[in-house]
Amino acid sequence: MMLLGPLLLSFIPVVIILALTRWFRNKEFPFLIKMLPGIVSIVFAITLFYSGVVNVRGFLGLSYGILSLALIAGGFISLFIGKNISHKSYI
């Protein structure tokens, strides 16, 4: 239960970021605007991870780490959605 709470709470901003990126892509915004949610989430996640490791520590720092890892994963997925890269080009 100690890991399930932060893990489930970390998926809420990831879903919001992915939905925002998909909406930007469908509206044909400029390339920078399409990439903005992914870039901002990765920068925010790195800052959050650093704060959790250096300042908070302990179990609360672990929840910051879980949130930041989910945000980094969501940020990279958002960058791939914004750039419109399909997985078929890598297989």
Side-chain angles (χ1 to χ4, degrees):
M1 191 65 179
M2 288 178 71
L3 292 176
L4 188 62
L7 188 64
L8 290 177
L9 286 176
S10 67
F11 286 128
I12 294 170
V14 170
V15 168
I16 292 171
I17 289 168
L18 292 177
L20 190 64
T21 303
R22 190 169 177 95
W23 182 68
F24 284 163
R25 188 184 70 174
N26 289 339
K27 291 292 185 180
E28 297 298 326
F29 282 109
F31 182 72
L32 181 64
I33 302 297
K34 290 180 192 177
M35 296 303 214
L36 194 64
I39 294 169
V40 168
S41 69
I42 290 172
V43 169
F44 181 70
I46 291 170
T47 306
L48 195 66
F49 185 78
Y50 176 78
S51 174
V53 169
V54 173
N55 295 333
V56 179
R57 292 184 227 135
F59 287 111
L60 187 60
L62 177 68
S63 65
Y64 277 81
I66 291 171
L67 174 61
S68 67
L69 290 178
L71 280 175
I72 286 174
F76 281 120
I77 293 171
S78 174
L79 290 176
F80 286 137
I81 289 173
K83 198 168 180 180
N84 201 8
I85 296 174
S86 67
H87 69 282
K88 294 179 183 177
S89 63
Y90 291 108
I91 297 177

